[in-house]
Amino acid sequence: AERDAVRAITPVGPRFEAEVDAAYMAKARAAIAQMTPLDHARLAALKAAKLWAFDWSDPLTRNPAYLAAWSVATLLAAAGLASLWRARRRVRWDAVAMVVLVCGGITAAHMATFVHARYRMHLEPYLFILAGAALADLWRAIAVRRARHVPL
């Protein structure tokens, strides 16, 4: 709608895209001015969900294989945090704090600005580190169980 409105008064040329951007920003500023603090909180939560869960506005992420892989990685990362918490006496918390702070900082930056599925790539290395912690804990549990059931 903004593009069509700008096209009606501005010829397509070097200033056209700048005028379209200005029209979009004017509309966004007006919408933001009408938002309540609760609206801002809901929007921030939605942005965090889009960053960590999946971006349902992107056709690529609607693919069941993509969604399944991302869901498994996210669940393993959550399990990794839980396993690190359970093993907190033998874990280097400065390393864990760095991972958590980076993930929290990236999430906060996106909650304050904008989210697109491609920006999630900055979280993936940390997500896989946490998922690896869960897998290591699972491997350890399987080894302990097998050791208890193996006759000597």
Side-chain angles (χ1 to χ4, degrees):
E2 283 73 24
R3 184 174 290 280
D4 293 335
V6 169
R7 187 173 292 137
I9 57 173
T10 303
V12 174
R15 294 281 315 144
F16 182 73
E17 288 301 323
E19 293 295 326
V20 170
D21 287 345
Y24 278 115
M25 287 306 296
K27 184 176 179 181
R29 274 195 288 279
I32 289 169
Q34 298 296 319
M35 291 174 68
T36 67
L38 183 58
D39 293 332
H40 284 286
R42 285 182 183 142
L43 180 60
L46 178 64
K47 289 177 179 184
K50 279 191 165 195
L51 185 68
W52 279 96
F54 64 97
D55 183 358
W56 47 87
S57 67
D58 187 343
L60 171 70
T61 62
R62 292 186 198 138
N63 180 326
Y66 180 93
L67 180 58
W70 186 253
S71 297
V72 168
T74 303
L75 290 173
L76 280 172
L81 273 175
S83 70
L84 289 172
W85 179 254
R86 281 194 314 273
R88 62 186 170 273
R89 297 196 199 303
R90 64 178 200 272
V91 172
R92 286 195 50 199
W93 278 102
D94 54 343
V96 175
M98 192 247 349
V99 171
V100 171
L101 289 173
V102 168
C103 290
I106 291 170
T107 302
H110 287 286
M111 288 170 68
T113 57
F114 52 88
V115 174
H116 192 278
R118 70 176 177 246
Y119 301 128
R120 186 175 25 229
M121 76 177 84
H122 302 101
L123 289 172
E124 290 176 1
Y126 303 101
L127 184 89
F128 296 143
I129 290 169
L130 293 171
L135 291 173
D137 199 33
L138 178 63
W139 187 265
R140 213 173 5 260
I142 290 170
V144 166
R145 184 170 181 195
R146 282 187 178 167
R148 288 182 186 155
H149 291 81
V150 173
L152 297 175

